[in-house]
Amino acid sequence: MEAKFNLVDEPWIPVLREERVVEVGIREALLEAPTILRIETPSPLEEAALHRLLLAVLHRALEGPRRPEDVLDWWRAGRFPKKPIEDYLNHFRDRFFLFHPEAPFLQVADLPEDKPLPWSKLLPELASGDNPTLFDHTTEENVPKATYAQATRALLVHQTFALGGLLRRYGVPSAQDAPVVRSALFLPTGENLLQTLLLNLVPYPQEEDAPIWEVPPLRLQDLEGAKTEWPLSGRTRVYTWPSRGVRLLDEGDGVRFMGYGPGVKPSEAVYRDPMVAQRLDAKVKVEFLRFSKEKSFWRDFSAMLPRQGGKVAATVDHAQDLQNKLQDEEEGWEGQVALRVLGQVSELGKDKVLDVRREVYPLPTGLLSPKGEENLEKALKAAEELGQGLFHLVLEVAWAVMGERDRQELKNFARSLPLERLYWHALDGAFPRFLAQVEKKDSLELWREELKGAARGAWEATRLFLGTEARHLKALAEGERLLGYLLGRLEEVVG
């Protein structure tokens, strides 16, 4: 087999440049980053995985940044240093071939071709095996052929987000989760790809670390019986972790099937991924922040703040620091930084993806200031308390309409009314406006009006669902009374 499709130079990373989506290789993505608006992909998981790969290359090529000031220098220069990146990519170019007889990128060259699986298993958005057809209706009997670019991106997504579960291959009964499979990943983004990468290029300690292309290629014998175990530490090692043994099978003009097996087993180590935030759970135990299938991520925003014992993602901390330095040194700098929260929703201990998410918020410079933290905490507490009050209200309405019933029956009726759903939906749109000015003096006053507007709008819509008989009118009167009480209490909660 000849080496084929080199990821350094072949086009495979989708980017938005001059209002057009085009594909570029790693070299062009890094060296032409100022001319690229952003990585453009409909998949939140792909967006996260591609950024982690580019960041891993930058950390190793630039041997840093050692200090925050290094990032500031590259920002001022408006580009990355060209020579170290060129030298690094040229040195390791042979390790970036998608097809290679000895070292295919992020794969295992001698993984057997028998019992092949469709390449669609690499993506949670596509249906295959036990993966339900939530996102498409691909079947294993009619697997579409992937281009080399598609197959490469799917490979990266799978190695980053593979869920643990049954495997039963090569002496390994079950596979473990990929390192960040259930975490929400925080990706600050700037006005072009250069700024986005710099906002996430957190100072890189000189530690024992190496990305997958700097270590000897893995062989099947390394993975059989889960005999290869690496410490889950080292930033670029984790950014390029081989969660599964994969061998894409080339059909000459694309990929339809792959060999599949166990990957490297992670062992416990002291490590915190820069893109992951932490919180304290109900037992005061540290856990990483994840998406919930029941609610939008912003409702958990304050849990990661130091005021509540949490830790913001290092990428957010770094981006805030960089923004503050730019404002101090460049009077009038008015750049806009957005925060993209990316990941998938799954239940602990289960190998099913329930949803994939990309939520986008502003990242104001004052978010981590004492005033910003205090305002955010008060705002979210008020939203939750009003939300709970509205549920109590709608339960009272249900009781007035239905009379004495089993509590679960009353809850079911209450939840069939749109009050809660419309309230939270309205706040989904309002929260970014509040967050954009979180540290300002009148932000809580504006948030209080947003809460009132959301509650009133949801109640007016709910009224339409009730009838006009005496019991309905009585329920509406009680609902009006409770709503007035709840809105009055907002003056105390968000003063």
Side-chain angles (χ1 to χ4, degrees):
M1 174 195 287
E2 292 185 6
K4 185 175 180 181
F5 200 74
N6 191 279
L7 307 185
V8 171
D9 298 314
E10 296 279 359
W12 66 282
I13 302 172
V15 299
L16 184 61
R17 181 162 58 190
E18 297 177 350
E19 301 182 351
R20 292 179 58 231
V21 177
V22 297
E23 291 181 345
V24 299
I26 294 173
R27 190 192 310 273
E28 188 173 352
L30 296 179
L31 298 183
E32 301 297 328
T35 70
I36 294 170
L37 188 61
R38 61 175 176 265
I39 289 176
E40 183 75 0
T41 166
S43 166
L45 305 186
E46 193 172 288
E47 182 178 3
L50 286 168
H51 280 96
R52 287 167 74 86
L53 174 71
L54 294 180
L55 289 167
V57 173
L58 284 172
H59 281 308
R60 301 302 288 180
L62 301 176
E63 299 181 349
R66 308 252 176 121
R67 309 165 303 148
E69 288 74 17
D70 295 338
V71 177
L72 197 58
D73 289 342
W74 298 329
W75 185 290
R76 290 195 196 101
R79 58 183 173 78
F80 292 116
K82 183 176 181 180
K83 188 172 186 311
I85 292 176
E86 287 277 22
D87 290 347
Y88 184 81
L89 290 176
N90 290 336
H91 183 76
F92 288 103
R93 187 173 183 277
D94 281 353
R95 295 299 303 274
F96 283 90
F97 282 103
L98 187 63
F99 303 103
H100 190 282
E102 300 296 329
F105 177 76
L106 206 45
Q107 300 167 74
V108 181
D110 62 345
L111 207 62
E113 297 182 19
D114 59 334
K115 300 180 182 177
L117 295 177
W119 76 276
S120 55
K121 180 180 172 62
L122 296 173
L123 292 178
E125 295 97 329
L126 299 183
S128 67
D130 293 335
N131 207 27
T133 56
L134 286 176
F135 309 101
D136 85 327
H137 297 286
T138 302
T139 66
E140 293 191 15
E141 290 72 31
N142 186 26
V143 180
K145 189 182 290 184
T147 65
Y148 296 149
Q150 284 177 310
T152 308
R153 298 195 296 267
L155 175 66
L156 266 183
V157 168
H158 193 68
Q159 300 290 21
T160 308
F161 293 102
L163 284 163
L166 286 178
L167 185 64
R168 291 176 181 163
R169 288 188 174 221
Y170 310 114
V172 179
S174 62
Q176 296 193 17
D177 283 348
V180 292
V181 62
R182 300 181 197 270
S183 306
L185 300 181
F186 291 75
L187 183 78
T189 56
E191 295 173 355
N192 57 46
L193 182 58
L194 173 75
Q195 291 186 6
T196 294
L197 292 170
L198 288 173
L199 286 164
N200 292 277
L201 206 61
V202 178
Y204 180 56
Q206 299 303 300
E207 59 188 7
E208 184 180 346
D209 183 27
I212 190 69
W213 52 83
E214 289 189 28
V215 299
L218 291 165
R219 294 284 181 268
L220 177 59
Q221 65 179 14
D222 300 321
L223 304 176
E224 284 178 312
K227 68 177 64 168
T228 297
E229 190 170 321
W230 292 348
L232 191 58
S233 64
R235 187 176 307 170
T236 66
R237 177 193 290 148
V238 177
Y239 278 5
T240 61
W241 190 271
S243 304
R244 300 291 184 273
V246 176
R247 180 185 168 199
L248 298 173
L249 303 180
D250 184 17
E251 294 191 3
D253 59 351
V255 174
R256 204 184 305 269
F257 294 98
M258 63 179 180
Y260 194 78
V264 171
K265 184 179 178 181
S267 60
E268 289 294 329
V270 178
Y271 174 73
R272 184 176 160 225
D273 193 286
M275 292 187 176
V276 173
Q278 295 177 328
R279 63 180 297 168
L280 295 180
D281 67 10
K283 298 179 180 177
V284 198
K285 182 180 176 184
V286 174
E287 64 174 8
F288 52 81
L289 244 62
R290 60 171 63 91
F291 285 103
S292 161
K293 65 179 180 181
E294 289 88 12
K295 58 186 180 182
S296 299
F297 187 79
W298 65 265
R299 292 172 62 182
D300 284 330
F301 239 88
S302 65
M304 64 180 176
L305 298 179
R307 284 174 63 91
Q308 296 191 14
K311 291 182 180 177
V312 297
T315 49
V316 174
D317 214 359
H318 170 71
Q320 289 269 280
D321 183 59
L322 182 56
Q323 283 178 284
N324 290 331
K325 284 187 168 66
L326 287 166
Q327 285 196 334
D328 289 344
E329 296 189 8
E330 297 183 30
E331 189 175 349
W333 182 77
E334 297 178 349
Q336 299 292 317
V337 176
L339 179 61
R340 297 163 91 88
V341 190
L342 312 165
Q344 58 191 357
V345 184
S346 63
E347 293 183 40
L348 281 175
K350 296 185 178 179
D351 59 349
K352 295 280 173 45
V353 175
L354 304 176
D355 197 3
V356 292
R357 296 270 190 85
R358 175 194 286 126
E359 298 188 17
V360 183
Y361 303 97
L363 183 59
T365 54
L367 174 62
L368 299 183
S369 68
K371 192 62 180 174
E373 287 193 41
E374 180 185 354
N375 285 351
L376 181 59
E377 188 177 60
K378 282 185 176 179
L380 296 189
K381 181 180 178 185
E384 292 294 335
E385 287 188 0
L386 182 55
Q388 292 169 12
L390 291 175
F391 184 64
H392 174 72
L393 180 158
V394 81
L395 268 179
E396 291 294 322
V397 168
W399 181 82
V401 170
M402 300 175 69
E404 290 292 344
R405 296 292 180 91
D406 175 77
R407 185 167 177 79
Q408 189 57 50
E409 195 174 351
L410 290 175
K411 280 185 176 180
N412 292 340
F413 179 75
R415 290 197 166 111
S416 73
L417 298 174
L419 185 64
E420 271 193 298
R421 186 171 63 256
L422 292 182
Y423 168 73
W424 289 116
H425 178 70
L427 294 185
D428 285 346
F431 180 74
R433 293 193 291 272
F434 162 74
L435 188 63
Q437 49 189 333
V438 65
E439 84 284 11
K440 294 182 180 174
K441 185 178 178 181
D442 59 353
S443 62
L444 284 179
E445 186 177 336
L446 294 173
W447 180 243
R448 185 174 63 232
E449 295 308 309
E450 297 278 15
L451 293 179
K452 286 182 176 179
R456 287 190 181 115
W459 171 245
E460 289 304 316
T462 303
R463 288 172 58 94
L464 301 177
F465 278 75
L466 297 179
T468 56
E469 298 176 11
R471 58 193 173 104
H472 298 125
L473 296 177
K474 181 181 177 184
L476 287 173
E478 179 62 10
E480 293 281 0
R481 186 188 70 79
L482 287 173
L483 182 64
Y485 168 76
L486 292 172
L487 296 185
R489 268 185 52 80
L490 275 180
E491 302 294 335
E492 302 171 20
V493 178
V494 190

